[in-house]
Amino acid sequence: MSQPLVRNAREIARWDAQADVVIAGFGAAGATAAIEARAAGADVIVVERAGAGGGSAANSGGVIYLGGGTPTQKACGFEDTPEEMFKYLMAACGPSPDEGLVSAYCDGSLEHYAWLVDRGIRFRPRFAAAELGADECPGLVYSGTENAWPFNEIARPAPRGHYSADQGLASGGVLMQTLTQAAMKAGAAVHANTRCLALVVESDGRICGVVVRAAGEQSAVRARGGVILTTGGFISNREMLARHAPWLLPCTNVVGIEGDDGGGLMMGQAAGGVLCRMDAADISLPIYPPLQLRKGILINRHGQRFINEDAYMGRLGEFALLHQQGRVFLVVDDAIFARPEYLEADIAAVGETIAELEADLPLPSGALQATLSFYNEHAAKGRDPLFRKKAEYLAPLAQPPLAALDLSVDVVPYGVLTLGGLQIDTAGAVLDRDGDPIPGLYAAGRTTSGVCKGGYSSGLSIGDSTFFGRRAGRSAAARAIREREARPG
Ligand SMILES: Cc1cc2nc3c(=O)[nH]c(=O)nc-3n(C[C@H](O)[C@H](O)[C@H](O)COP(=O)(O)OP(=O)(O)OC[C@H]3O[C@@H](n4cnc5c(N)ncnc54)[C@H](O)[C@@H]3O)c2cc1C
């Protein structure tokens, strides 16, 4: 029988532990929430189902999306403002991103950068033209589609992908070691190998604790100020994917860990929280590195282009999977031929002429010939009238043999990360269906629907997890302190 996700406080015979703030999950959002709650004067218990903290963030590339004119951006010679960052994110993180969350994130980005640096995170002041394929820490990169169409016409391009390492290979491991240690040093009590099973609710609707399981035993932990859910997303829960975003099921590169089982989302929902944009995901199709492959053309099953190939891999994947049913080919000529470094792509066809290539592909007769003849004619003049790919990636595909790589979703591993979750306000409070905060319940990171409501740029997940994790920590602590001061005696 499945466990209840919400328990009534009356059923709790004994509180086995208590703290002002109880945090479920010790990853990017949980660690930052713990640091800030401690700094605000709250005592904190963190329950973490794994043997140690770090979460998915510890396995990550450690890129954090920061902007508005950070010292790293300035040192690399880039101008940026919170307004330009806002323009980009509102256009790219949609459709219809949450203006309040995006605005708070952009306005607070410089302060967040400084806070991370104060906690010991180092950012290398070196700009790298390509995000991927570097054998050492690239420093600062364009980690989305800032510098390609259509967004380079909407906002002034600025690289905002900050690698959180100053030497060697970039690594989320270093980031999370730094943040989890900072949380423990600040005095957060971490209960590892302890899984949060349910929220405990008072009769008036306030969330006042959690039920956990450790070593097969259940116990109850009281939260005087609030509970913060930071248990990651639901990419590892096939049933939830089938219900909310079945088109993600064929994507085999799961960007997450076993803990991304949707548990926090379900607990929050059972307590009255609203789930938002559960279909949103980062879907990545890394056709490059090497960068020369941006000079190829991506075509759909009608033999037509559908995007500028210099867009970010998350945009390429989204367009390929959601708009083209995940059935796409990358057409290249001998001058640029290579296999994408991160995809084991099959060669679907080779031909000395376009007609020969087309004959071996499942395309309507003449379609690829029409596409290539139009593309080559304009590429020779450094133009892409359809999708405005940048001139540096434009050259006629004319040197035989031509080849088509099969980049269909059932052939190569598209990467997926879920972006839907509990709806929060800018303070990290979980909202109910009327848009009101649920007293005592907070959340951050992939348990929530954060800054991205679709379109993704690398670094935004750790970015909004750490940013709103901090806010949730401060809010829960402030509530605990208010309650403490209001108590008689
Ligand atoms: C290979 C890879 C590369 C990536 N690269 C980047 C990148 O460069 N930049 C970026 O922004 N994002 C990146 N991501 C995504 C990013 O790491 C995550 O989306 C982000 O860490 C989410 O933060 P979080 O705090 O919500 O979850 P996590 O950091 O995963 O933390 C959640 C924690 O909760 C724990 N937990 C789960 N359920 C329970 C429970 N019931 N009770 C108690 N504990 C529980 C988990 O064990 C985990 O420790 C990458 C991910 C992967 C896998």
Side-chain angles (χ1 to χ4, degrees):
M1 214 175 81
S2 63
Q3 295 274 345
L5 297 165
V6 171
R7 303 271 291 270
N8 198 299
R10 282 195 310 263
E11 294 168 34
I12 306 297
R14 187 184 82 217
W15 293 108
D16 301 280
Q18 50 183 300
D20 289 329
V21 175
V22 175
I23 300 171
F26 199 31
T32 49
I35 295 169
E36 289 289 66
R38 284 294 301 139
D43 56 51
V44 173
I45 289 178
V46 184
V47 295
E48 165 56 50
R49 70 178 254 173
S56 166
N59 300 340
S60 78
V63 180
I64 309 181
Y65 201 90
L66 298 160
T70 67
T72 303
Q73 288 178 312
K74 284 187 179 154
C76 294
F78 290 99
E79 263 185 55
D80 194 17
T81 61
E83 292 73 30
E84 291 301 317
M85 183 178 176
F86 177 78
K87 276 197 254 171
Y88 170 73
L89 290 180
M90 285 304 289
C93 294
S96 308
D98 182 321
E99 194 171 332
L101 295 183
V102 175
S103 171
Y105 185 71
C106 296
D107 290 345
S109 193
L110 283 181
E111 186 275 336
H112 192 46
Y113 175 102
W115 184 88
L116 290 164
V117 170
D118 283 349
R119 307 275 102 52
I121 308 300
R122 294 281 163 265
F123 298 109
R124 187 177 190 188
R126 189 188 81 158
F127 172 66
E131 178 197 0
L132 302 168
D135 58 1
E136 58 170 339
C137 175
L140 181 69
V141 296
Y142 282 107
S143 62
T145 309
E146 299 87 351
N147 199 24
W149 190 76
F151 305 115
N152 58 357
E153 294 179 6
I154 293 172
R156 185 177 57 217
R160 303 191 182 97
H162 290 63
Y163 276 85
S164 51
D166 62 354
Q167 57 186 339
L169 278 173
S171 150
V174 176
L175 170 75
M176 288 316 299
Q177 200 180 20
T178 310
L179 293 177
T180 52
Q181 278 179 3
M184 289 186 287
K185 205 169 150 204
V190 179
H191 300 202
N193 296 310
T194 303
R195 185 165 176 168
C196 183
L197 301 176
L199 293 166
V200 182
V201 61
E202 297 275 12
S203 51
D204 61 2
R206 276 180 302 135
I207 304 299
C208 61
V210 293
V211 173
V212 301
R213 187 176 60 222
E217 296 290 319
Q218 286 196 18
S219 58
V221 184
R222 184 169 169 231
R224 290 183 290 258
V227 172
I228 308 178
L229 293 170
T230 52
T231 55
F234 65 99
I235 192 60
S236 299
N237 184 325
R238 305 283 294 174
E239 210 180 304
M240 283 180 81
L241 280 182
R243 191 171 332 130
H244 297 289
W247 46 88
L248 301 178
L249 288 169
C251 301
T252 52
N253 179 8
V254 169
V255 182
I257 54 175
E258 202 189 330
D260 288 309
D261 64 358
L265 286 81
M266 289 189 273
M267 284 183 256
Q269 185 185 33
V274 162
L275 293 178
C276 175
R277 299 297 284 271
M278 291 293 283
D279 57 334
D282 165 33
I283 305 162
S284 69
L285 179 61
I287 66 165
Y288 53 86
L291 278 183
Q292 73 209 50
L293 287 173
R294 286 179 172 174
K295 292 182 181 168
I297 59 166
L298 277 169
I299 57 163
N300 60 17
R301 64 199 189 289
H302 309 300
Q304 293 167 333
R305 285 178 76 217
F306 56 92
I307 194 165
N308 44 320
E309 295 79 7
D310 56 354
Y312 169 61
M313 62 181 171
R315 190 168 166 86
L316 297 177
E318 184 178 326
F319 275 57
L321 186 71
L322 303 187
H323 303 184
Q324 307 302 336
Q325 290 80 45
R327 185 114 347 259
V328 299
F329 298 96
L330 179 67
V331 176
V332 295
D333 71 356
D334 201 45
I336 60 162
F337 179 83
R339 305 239 188 191
E341 210 168 298
Y342 297 108
L343 298 171
E344 277 189 24
D346 290 342
I347 297 179
V350 178
E352 287 302 311
T353 61
I354 303 174
E356 247 181 70
L357 182 72
E358 185 183 272
D360 277 351
L361 291 170
L363 301 175
S365 172
L368 180 59
Q369 295 181 63
T371 295
L372 264 175
S373 123
F374 183 84
Y375 178 80
N376 282 349
E377 178 194 333
H378 293 282
K381 296 175 201 147
R383 292 188 359 225
D384 174 14
L386 288 183
F387 299 110
R388 317 226 193 136
K389 181 157 64 168
K390 294 228 294 285
E392 65 198 275
Y393 302 117
L394 287 168
L397 296 170
Q399 188 172 311
L402 298 166
L405 301 172
D406 194 344
L407 301 187
S408 299
V409 67
D410 49 359
V411 177
V412 296
Y414 287 37
V416 269
L417 165 70
T418 58
L419 298 171
L422 293 165
Q423 192 167 352
I424 53 166
D425 65 14
T426 54
V430 174
L431 302 180
D432 67 14
R433 78 162 78 104
D434 296 323
D436 294 325
I438 297 173
L441 187 60
Y442 304 86
R446 295 290 57 81
T447 305
T448 69
S449 169
V451 163
C452 285
K453 301 288 193 252
Y456 185 72
S457 300
S458 273
L460 277 170
S461 188
I462 296 177
D464 84 351
S465 298
T466 53
F467 186 86
F468 290 106
R470 289 179 58 203
R471 287 192 167 208
R474 289 202 297 264
S475 301
R479 186 169 185 277
I481 288 159
R482 274 199 312 273
E483 304 257 310
R484 200 191 290 161
E485 284 168 356
R487 268 197 299 273

